[in-house]
């Protein structure tokens, strides 16, 4: 006797099997259909859907990786050249110098200046007068021709004081 036959025999002898046998042929057909629908729903939600979502995610990832690979191949020479060139520190030093000079003229204390990889400079401000910060930024843009790439300002608890982050670039 096989395992399936032994399992079927046990099921028929159990309370569920005895209950099922007492039902009319029409009820038994409805029960079989319901069991098939429930088994199909469980199979769909527990197996098919997750596998399908995983497949879609992997296909999207493949397309993204393939696009990146093709871009790298097309730009390989430029990337190799950029990797061997040092970051332009002269441009960053000149930018830091002009930024601090303008800050001193506008009576602003800069907390931190940090050169960025793209030749710009990132500046942190803490508890500075809002009007003076606006004048400083205006002089950097109008008089020195710098580009204000990113600005994040937060109001302080003290009246008309602000703190923030500024990223400046020298136009090429």
């Amino acid at each position: 006797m096989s395992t399936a036959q032994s399992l079927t025999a046990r099921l028929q002898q159990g309370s569920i099997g005895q209950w099922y046998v007492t039902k009319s042929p029409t009820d038994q057909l409805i029960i079989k259909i319901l069991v098939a629908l429930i088994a199909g729903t469980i199979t769909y939600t527990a197996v098919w859907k997750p596998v399908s979502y995983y497949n879609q995610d992997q296909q999207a990832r493949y397309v993204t990786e393939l696009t990146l690979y093709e871009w790298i191949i097309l730009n390989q020479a430029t990337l190799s050249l950029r990797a061997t060139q040092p970051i332009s520190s002269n441009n960053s030093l000149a930018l830091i110098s002009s930024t601090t000079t303008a800050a001193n003229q506008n009576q602003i204390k800069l907390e931190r200046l940090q050169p960025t990889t793209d030749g710009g400079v990132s500046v942190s401000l803490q508890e500075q007068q809002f009007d003076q910060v606006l004048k400083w930024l205006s002089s950097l843009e109008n008089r020195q021709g710098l580009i204000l790439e990113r600005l994040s300002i937060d109001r302080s608890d003290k009246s008309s004081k602000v703190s923030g982050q500024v990223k400046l670039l020298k136009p090429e």
Side-chain angles (χ1 to χ4, degrees):
M1 183 181 247
S2 72
T3 319
Q5 289 173 341
S6 108
L7 184 62
T8 305
R10 279 184 160 176
L11 192 59
Q12 288 174 348
Q13 292 171 0
S15 62
I16 294 175
Q18 294 299 318
W19 172 81
Y20 178 76
V21 170
T22 62
K23 299 297 177 190
S24 69
T26 308
D27 288 344
Q28 288 180 358
L29 178 63
I30 291 173
I31 291 170
K32 287 178 185 178
I33 291 172
L34 285 175
V35 167
L37 285 174
I38 291 171
T41 302
I42 290 173
T43 302
Y44 176 75
T45 56
V47 177
W48 184 258
K49 253 181 133 177
V51 168
S52 176
Y53 286 149
Y54 178 78
N55 186 22
Q56 289 174 353
D57 289 344
Q58 292 305 310
Q59 286 177 352
R61 184 175 177 197
Y62 172 76
V63 168
T64 302
E65 296 295 329
L66 184 62
T67 305
L68 177 62
Y69 173 74
E70 289 171 349
W71 182 86
I72 289 172
I73 294 299
L74 288 173
N75 296 299
Q76 187 172 11
T78 306
L79 293 172
S80 304
L81 184 63
R82 289 235 175 175
T84 59
Q85 291 178 343
I87 297 172
S88 174
S89 61
N90 291 340
N91 189 24
S92 296
L93 292 177
L95 192 56
I96 288 173
S97 174
S98 61
T99 303
T100 55
T101 302
N104 290 336
Q105 290 171 351
N106 289 289
Q107 300 163 348
I108 292 181
K109 182 181 176 219
L110 304 177
E111 286 294 314
R112 189 181 83 222
L113 281 93
Q114 182 175 354
T116 59
T117 57
D118 59 357
V121 66
S122 179
V123 182
S124 293
L125 306 167
Q126 294 291 325
E127 302 290 327
Q128 300 298 312
Q129 289 291 328
F130 180 70
D131 294 339
Q132 291 173 331
V133 171
L134 285 180
K135 287 178 188 176
W136 172 64
L137 292 173
S138 176
S139 71
L140 288 174
E141 283 188 320
N142 297 331
R143 293 185 192 148
Q144 299 182 21
L146 299 180
I147 297 172
L148 180 63
E149 184 176 87
R150 185 181 67 236
L151 174 64
S152 171
I153 293 182
D154 297 319
R155 183 178 65 179
S156 176
D157 292 337
K158 299 178 183 174
S159 177
S160 72
K161 299 268 185 173
V162 294
S163 298
Q165 293 277 327
V166 179
K167 183 176 180 189
L168 300 164
L169 290 174
K170 187 117 178 138
E172 296 177 10

